[in-house]
PDB file of all heavy atoms in Angstrom:
ATOM      1  N   LEU A  93      50.452  14.120  28.262  1.00  0.00           N
ATOM      2  CA  LEU A  93      51.753  14.731  28.020  1.00  0.00           C
ATOM      3  C   LEU A  93      52.094  14.778  26.531  1.00  0.00           C
ATOM      4  O   LEU A  93      52.711  15.737  26.069  1.00  0.00           O
ATOM      5  CB  LEU A  93      52.843  13.991  28.813  1.00  0.00           C
ATOM      6  CG  LEU A  93      52.830  14.345  30.298  1.00  0.00           C
ATOM      7  CD1 LEU A  93      53.536  13.273  31.118  1.00  0.00           C
ATOM      8  CD2 LEU A  93      53.468  15.708  30.535  1.00  0.00           C
ATOM      9  N   GLY A  94      51.687  13.745  25.785  1.00  0.00           N
ATOM     10  CA  GLY A  94      51.881  13.768  24.336  1.00  0.00           C
ATOM     11  C   GLY A  94      51.157  14.963  23.728  1.00  0.00           C
ATOM     12  O   GLY A  94      51.679  15.663  22.839  1.00  0.00           O
ATOM     13  N   ASN A  95      49.962  15.238  24.207  1.00  0.00           N
ATOM     14  CA  ASN A  95      49.193  16.415  23.752  1.00  0.00           C
ATOM     15  C   ASN A  95      49.930  17.696  24.097  1.00  0.00           C
ATOM     16  O   ASN A  95      49.919  18.666  23.356  1.00  0.00           O
ATOM     17  CB  ASN A  95      47.830  16.494  24.502  1.00  0.00           C
ATOM     18  CG  ASN A  95      46.780  15.553  23.955  1.00  0.00           C
ATOM     19  OD1 ASN A  95      45.627  15.622  24.370  1.00  0.00           O
ATOM     20  ND2 ASN A  95      47.122  14.630  23.095  1.00  0.00           N
ATOM     21  N   TYR A  96      50.532  17.709  25.278  1.00  0.00           N
ATOM     22  CA  TYR A  96      51.080  18.946  25.837  1.00  0.00           C
ATOM     23  C   TYR A  96      52.409  19.335  25.187  1.00  0.00           C
ATOM     24  O   TYR A  96      52.665  20.496  24.937  1.00  0.00           O
ATOM     25  CB  TYR A  96      51.237  18.804  27.347  1.00  0.00           C
ATOM     26  CG  TYR A  96      51.409  20.099  28.079  1.00  0.00           C
ATOM     27  CD1 TYR A  96      50.373  21.023  28.175  1.00  0.00           C
ATOM     28  CD2 TYR A  96      52.630  20.418  28.698  1.00  0.00           C
ATOM     29  CE1 TYR A  96      50.540  22.220  28.857  1.00  0.00           C
ATOM     30  CE2 TYR A  96      52.796  21.609  29.375  1.00  0.00           C
ATOM     31  CZ  TYR A  96      51.739  22.492  29.449  1.00  0.00           C
ATOM     32  OH  TYR A  96      51.917  23.684  30.135  1.00  0.00           O
ATOM     33  N   VAL A  97      53.268  18.319  24.941  1.00  0.00           N
ATOM     34  CA  VAL A  97      54.618  18.646  24.433  1.00  0.00           C
ATOM     35  C   VAL A  97      54.799  18.279  22.959  1.00  0.00           C
ATOM     36  O   VAL A  97      55.750  18.739  22.323  1.00  0.00           O
ATOM     37  CB  VAL A  97      55.750  18.009  25.289  1.00  0.00           C
ATOM     38  CG1 VAL A  97      55.680  18.520  26.697  1.00  0.00           C
ATOM     39  CG2 VAL A  97      55.708  16.484  25.263  1.00  0.00           C
ATOM     40  N   GLY A  98      53.921  17.452  22.408  1.00  0.00           N
ATOM     41  CA  GLY A  98      53.994  17.124  20.980  1.00  0.00           C
ATOM     42  C   GLY A  98      55.269  16.377  20.599  1.00  0.00           C
ATOM     43  O   GLY A  98      55.637  16.296  19.433  1.00  0.00           O
ATOM     44  N   THR A  99      55.946  15.859  21.592  1.00  0.00           N
ATOM     45  CA  THR A  99      57.143  15.042  21.335  1.00  0.00           C
ATOM     46  C   THR A  99      57.252  14.098  22.523  1.00  0.00           C
ATOM     47  O   THR A  99      56.286  13.928  23.280  1.00  0.00           O
ATOM     48  CB  THR A  99      58.409  15.934  21.167  1.00  0.00           C
ATOM     49  OG1 THR A  99      59.538  15.107  20.897  1.00  0.00           O
ATOM     50  CG2 THR A  99      58.702  16.782  22.389  1.00  0.00           C
ATOM     51  N   CYS A 100      58.423  13.477  22.706  1.00  0.00           N
ATOM     52  CA  CYS A 100      58.598  12.536  23.820  1.00  0.00           C
ATOM     53  C   CYS A 100      58.894  13.345  25.093  1.00  0.00           C
ATOM     54  O   CYS A 100      59.757  14.203  25.089  1.00  0.00           O
ATOM     55  CB  CYS A 100      59.783  11.669  23.428  1.00  0.00           C
ATOM     56  SG  CYS A 100      60.468  10.659  24.705  1.00  0.00           S
ATOM     57  N   HIS A 101      58.181  13.047  26.184  1.00  0.00           N
ATOM     58  CA  HIS A 101      58.470  13.802  27.414  1.00  0.00           C
ATOM     59  C   HIS A 101      59.654  13.191  28.183  1.00  0.00           C
ATOM     60  O   HIS A 101      60.193  13.800  29.093  1.00  0.00           O
ATOM     61  CB  HIS A 101      57.241  13.905  28.303  1.00  0.00           C
ATOM     62  CG  HIS A 101      56.750  12.598  28.849  1.00  0.00           C
ATOM     63  ND1 HIS A 101      57.401  11.940  29.869  1.00  0.00           N
ATOM     64  CD2 HIS A 101      55.716  11.805  28.500  1.00  0.00           C
ATOM     65  CE1 HIS A 101      56.770  10.808  30.114  1.00  0.00           C
ATOM     66  NE2 HIS A 101      55.755  10.697  29.293  1.00  0.00           N
ATOM     67  N   GLN A 102      60.036  11.989  27.813  1.00  0.00           N
ATOM     68  CA  GLN A 102      61.299  11.377  28.231  1.00  0.00           C
ATOM     69  C   GLN A 102      61.364  10.901  29.687  1.00  0.00           C
ATOM     70  O   GLN A 102      62.425  10.507  30.160  1.00  0.00           O
ATOM     71  CB  GLN A 102      62.467  12.347  27.948  1.00  0.00           C
ATOM     72  CG  GLN A 102      62.596  12.647  26.453  1.00  0.00           C
ATOM     73  CD  GLN A 102      63.248  13.959  26.110  1.00  0.00           C
ATOM     74  OE1 GLN A 102      64.386  14.150  26.464  1.00  0.00           O
ATOM     75  NE2 GLN A 102      62.538  14.835  25.420  1.00  0.00           N
ATOM     76  N   ARG A 103      60.216  10.951  30.414  1.00  0.00           N
ATOM     77  CA  ARG A 103      60.326  10.519  31.810  1.00  0.00           C
ATOM     78  C   ARG A 103      59.775   9.118  32.050  1.00  0.00           C
ATOM     79  O   ARG A 103      59.929   8.544  33.133  1.00  0.00           O
ATOM     80  CB  ARG A 103      59.613  11.521  32.727  1.00  0.00           C
ATOM     81  CG  ARG A 103      60.070  11.417  34.163  1.00  0.00           C
ATOM     82  CD  ARG A 103      59.471  12.456  35.074  1.00  0.00           C
ATOM     83  NE  ARG A 103      59.835  12.245  36.476  1.00  0.00           N
ATOM     84  CZ  ARG A 103      59.328  12.896  37.500  1.00  0.00           C
ATOM     85  NH1 ARG A 103      58.414  13.837  37.283  1.00  0.00           N
ATOM     86  NH2 ARG A 103      59.705  12.625  38.731  1.00  0.00           N
ATOM     87  N   CYS A 104      59.112   8.528  31.033  1.00  0.00           N
ATOM     88  CA  CYS A 104      58.478   7.217  31.273  1.00  0.00           C
ATOM     89  C   CYS A 104      59.528   6.115  31.429  1.00  0.00           C
ATOM     90  O   CYS A 104      59.330   5.160  32.183  1.00  0.00           O
ATOM     91  CB  CYS A 104      57.517   6.876  30.138  1.00  0.00           C
ATOM     92  SG  CYS A 104      58.337   6.627  28.561  1.00  0.00           S
ATOM     93  N   THR A 105      60.677   6.267  30.732  1.00  0.00           N
ATOM     94  CA  THR A 105      61.638   5.148  30.690  1.00  0.00           C
ATOM     95  C   THR A 105      62.171   4.823  32.078  1.00  0.00           C
ATOM     96  O   THR A 105      62.328   3.647  32.431  1.00  0.00           O
ATOM     97  CB  THR A 105      62.810   5.436  29.757  1.00  0.00           C
ATOM     98  OG1 THR A 105      63.386   6.669  30.160  1.00  0.00           O
ATOM     99  CG2 THR A 105      62.424   5.497  28.322  1.00  0.00           C
TER     100      THR A 105
END
Side-chain angles (χ1 to χ4, degrees):
L93 283 160
N95 282 188
Y96 197 68
V97 299
T99 181
C100 168
H101 65 75
Q102 299 154 61
R103 200 176 175 189
C104 66
T105 54

